[in-house]
Amino acid sequence: MIPVEGVEDQTIAVLGLGRSGKATAAALAAGGARVIAWDDGQDTREAAAAEGLDLVDLTRPAAWEGVAALIVSPGIPHLYPRPHPAIALAYELGVPVDNDIGLFFRSYATNEWGEFERAPRVIAVTGSNGKSTTTALIHHILTECGRPSQMGGNIGRGVLSLEPATDGEVVVLELSSYQTELARALTPDVAVFTNLSPDHLDRHGGPGGYFAAKRRLFAEGGPDRAVIGVDEIEGRFIANQLSMGPRDDRVIRVSSGQKLDKGAWTVFARKGFLSEYRKGRQAASIDLREIAGLPGAHNHQNACAAYAACRAVGLAPRDIEAAFHSFKGLPHRSQLVAEIGGVRFVNDSKATNVDAAAKALDAFPRIRWIAGGLGKDGGIAALAPHLAQVVKAYLYGHSARDFALELGATPHEVVETLDEAVARAAAEAEAGETVLLAPAAASFDQYPNFEKRGEHFVRLVEALR
């Protein structure tokens, strides 16, 4: 646990008592704060009370007497579509609102660091797609190369439940837009931006607010080095804003598909090969084509971002390449579940939006595509250029019939459940084809989250054996 600095003898309120909320309450108490807490869910409150937390209804004005700050869990709206009532009260009363990410960045460095031979570092990763894989890949590379490392944030452990720093350690954080938008302190040593595509627009008041939330990681803290995906205009904008000119190697531009051989420091992937250029000259090259844990162009972009971040903290290209080969990938992200009778079954349940589904569809030839769930604004019409490899689509769930209307000439079948979709796809698939779960939709019509949806797909595939 990382005790929170600067809260001794203060009353701090915590709103939301899930994984990060409980960890935050414990870290605040370890820092000497008196913690009061609230959650809208009765079952969650009862569990928290059983653990000894002091529950106070923060939606009532009387609860705020003497409260010095409110710490909010990431799933709770604080601006759009409207602030939670407790947050609205904090705004009205002038009580500072922060989250666990802000507390981490103000508390991680301690006086003990003066005894270390090598200062700890923090790498923070944000973006729309690929940030979990990129974060996990960076952590894997560091570990394989013998650098002490911890991983947390939006993946793994809550940031305040991480252990205090050790000599030379690198903490790797995945940060969502919910986390970057509210944190009062954002000061990583290396900040990574993977890409941007429309997502969470209701929560951020539109695409501009969503991009602004991501951009805060780079604008607020001024990282020593920034790794920026420049395949979209937003990434090129951030890179331009941070760079002082073509010779400025504090910004490492990365791409999947573009040749970036100009500028002070670039990393890009083309035709399955990763290349690093320094001052216009090639410094390293890695063949990504046979790395099973990183299939497809979208994962090659993740590999470029992770490679650049690890180079920024001093790792050698050959060591990074060796670590690539032992990376198994993450569950629910282009996860090869099984190969049965020459048919591959791939779980990409994390593909909850059109852009992520497009990347998955581009990664495999001859696809039996399983899609559906709770569709997002705009449907799947934008996937039309990515359907050439789809032999047939199997659509299920709440938005299945709406999706069917947008598929044009692509063969498709509408079913009710994922069970039926897997059964039909498996029965019709031929050797050399891939049955791909890439829903292009949220899971909430039939599952509590994308993980449960992916786990169900894995069980269904295992049963086929």
Side-chain angles (χ1 to χ4, degrees):
M1 179 194 304
I2 297 173
V4 177
E5 299 283 339
V7 295
E8 189 172 359
D9 298 326
Q10 295 182 18
T11 298
I12 309 293
V14 174
L15 179 63
L17 294 172
R19 181 194 62 156
S20 67
K22 288 182 179 179
T24 298
L28 285 163
R34 175 190 172 240
V35 179
I36 61 174
W38 186 251
D39 191 285
D40 291 337
Q42 182 175 344
D43 290 345
T44 304
R45 291 199 302 271
E46 290 175 356
E51 295 176 14
L53 281 172
D54 184 6
L55 296 179
V56 177
D57 187 351
L58 296 173
T59 65
R60 298 182 177 182
W64 291 85
E65 181 68 32
V67 172
L70 173 65
I71 311 303
V72 178
S73 293
I76 301 173
H78 54 266
L79 184 58
Y80 300 116
R82 65 185 60 83
H84 184 280
I87 299 175
L89 267 174
Y91 292 161
E92 181 180 335
L93 297 169
V95 175
V97 178
D98 202 349
N99 62 14
D100 61 335
I101 304 301
L103 297 181
F104 168 84
F105 277 112
R106 86 182 204 196
S107 304
Y108 183 54
T110 64
N111 292 333
E112 285 75 19
W113 287 26
E115 306 297 322
F116 295 160
E117 292 185 9
R118 182 165 52 180
R121 311 285 292 279
V122 177
I123 299 174
V125 181
T126 196
S128 296
N129 300 305
K131 58 184 180 294
S132 294
T133 296
T134 300
T135 301
L137 181 55
I138 294 169
H139 175 62
H140 173 80
I141 294 166
L142 290 163
T143 302
E144 289 291 296
C145 293
R147 290 286 292 273
S149 178
Q150 297 185 77
M151 179 175 69
N154 202 46
I155 185 175
R157 301 161 66 182
V159 291
L160 293 173
S161 65
L162 297 173
E163 299 303 319
T166 59
D167 197 335
E169 183 175 61
V170 181
V171 167
V172 191
L173 302 179
E174 178 193 337
L175 300 182
S176 71
S177 57
Y178 296 177
Q179 294 169 313
T180 57
E181 183 176 47
L182 191 59
R184 286 177 164 244
L186 285 167
T187 53
D189 299 283
V190 179
V192 180
F193 178 85
T194 58
N195 50 54
L196 195 83
S197 61
D199 209 358
H200 308 304
L201 300 189
D202 59 334
R203 176 68 181 265
H204 296 292
Y210 177 54
F211 175 53
K214 299 287 189 185
R215 182 177 174 271
R216 286 191 79 244
L217 182 62
F218 306 87
E220 297 296 316
D224 294 338
R225 279 237 159 75
V227 176
I228 309 294
V230 294
D231 289 333
E232 294 87 27
I233 186 61
E234 292 86 357
R236 294 193 288 276
F237 173 82
I238 293 176
N240 183 271
Q241 289 277 295
L242 295 177
S243 175
M244 297 302 292
R247 297 175 183 269
D248 188 352
D249 67 357
R250 295 174 303 166
V251 178
I252 308 174
R253 292 169 171 82
V254 303
S255 172
S256 176
Q258 300 181 63
K259 184 176 182 179
L260 302 177
D261 57 354
K262 304 208 171 33
W265 200 346
T266 61
V267 180
F268 62 91
R270 290 186 72 212
K271 300 179 180 179
F273 286 85
L274 179 152
S275 297
E276 176 189 4
Y277 273 72
R278 302 289 293 269
K279 298 179 180 178
R281 295 186 177 184
Q282 188 169 11
S285 178
I286 298 174
D287 186 349
L288 300 174
R289 294 173 297 177
E290 300 303 320
I291 298 177
L294 296 167
H298 63 302
N299 274 313
H300 292 177
Q301 183 186 57
N302 299 334
C304 288
Y307 175 95
C310 289
R311 292 287 284 134
V313 295
L315 298 186
R318 187 172 298 178
D319 295 334
I320 298 172
E321 180 178 7
F324 277 167
H325 284 277
S326 59
F327 182 65
K328 302 300 183 184
L330 289 178
H332 319 303
R333 298 160 177 86
S334 296
Q335 175 193 6
L336 178 60
V337 177
E339 185 168 329
I340 304 172
V343 177
R344 291 184 296 179
F345 291 80
V346 175
N347 168 24
D348 207 327
S349 182
K350 183 63 169 65
T352 59
N353 59 43
V354 165
D355 190 65
K359 290 177 168 61
L361 289 168
D362 289 344
F364 305 97
R366 296 191 57 78
I367 296 169
R368 301 275 174 174
W369 177 34
I370 298 175
L374 190 62
K376 298 186 176 181
D377 290 347
I380 60 169
L383 287 174
H386 305 276
L387 300 179
Q389 301 293 342
V390 175
V391 178
K392 183 177 177 180
Y394 304 83
L395 309 172
Y396 79 94
H398 178 274
S399 299
R401 287 167 177 78
D402 292 335
F403 282 9
L405 295 174
E406 299 179 271
L407 283 181
T410 300
H412 60 270
E413 181 177 345
V414 174
V415 297
E416 292 299 320
T417 65
L418 183 59
D419 304 62
E420 296 173 81
V422 171
R424 294 292 299 149
E428 296 180 358
E430 301 176 358
E433 295 180 344
T434 297
V435 175
L436 171 67
L437 172 65
S443 61
F444 306 129
D445 60 332
Q446 297 182 6
Y447 302 93
N449 51 53
F450 74 84
E451 291 96 341
K452 294 299 183 185
R453 175 172 61 190
E455 290 165 5
H456 187 199
F457 177 78
V458 170
R459 289 195 300 273
L460 293 169
V461 172
E462 292 292 346
L464 296 172
R465 292 181 185 275

